[in-house]
Amino acid sequence: MSLVDFTYYTEAFGGDLIPQRLFARYELKASAYLDNLTLGSIKTPCDEKIKTAVCEMCEAFYCEDERRNIRSEQHDGYAVVYDESELNEKLEDIANIYLASSGYLYGGIY
């Protein structure tokens, strides 16, 4: 389920961080993550709040990949510790910023 395209990312959102050749991969991850958070309640076409959240999540995924999820690293004994908890918190914060009042994050019965 593709919620935004590269044109929306660059023109409407104003994104310039993710190269075009990589955007589809991050958009797919961000859309899937948001779909899980909203329990599948997002349908296409979607509103601007959702598209903006997806774009910001794409950038969060991209930045995390560039950082390689390294929480700590040692050189003498060569030990690397990866951490994804910060990314999950950041993605949930992004969803809350844009969708808290939309009803999409509500998991109960209406």
Side-chain angles (χ1 to χ4, degrees), residues 79-107:
V80 178
V81 179
Y82 294 92
D83 185 16
E84 290 201 16
S85 61
E86 287 182 24
L87 176 61
N88 288 332
E89 289 176 21
K90 182 173 180 128
L91 294 170
E92 289 176 13
D93 288 345
I94 291 168
N96 283 325
I97 288 169
Y98 295 104
L99 305 177
S101 64
S102 68
Y104 283 113
L105 300 176
Y106 178 68

Side-chain angles (χ1 to χ4, degrees), residues 37-73:
L37 279 180
T38 62
L39 303 174
S41 62
I42 295 174
K43 307 294 182 234
T44 55
C46 56
D47 63 25
E48 297 299 310
K49 289 181 179 182
I50 292 170
K51 290 179 180 183
T52 304
V54 169
C55 288
E56 199 163 326
M57 286 180 172
C58 286
E59 289 190 347
F61 276 119
Y62 178 77
C63 288
E64 194 68 17
D65 279 356
E66 289 298 302
R67 193 170 77 91
R68 306 238 192 276
N69 301 336
I70 297 174
R71 184 179 68 190
S72 67
E73 185 173 356

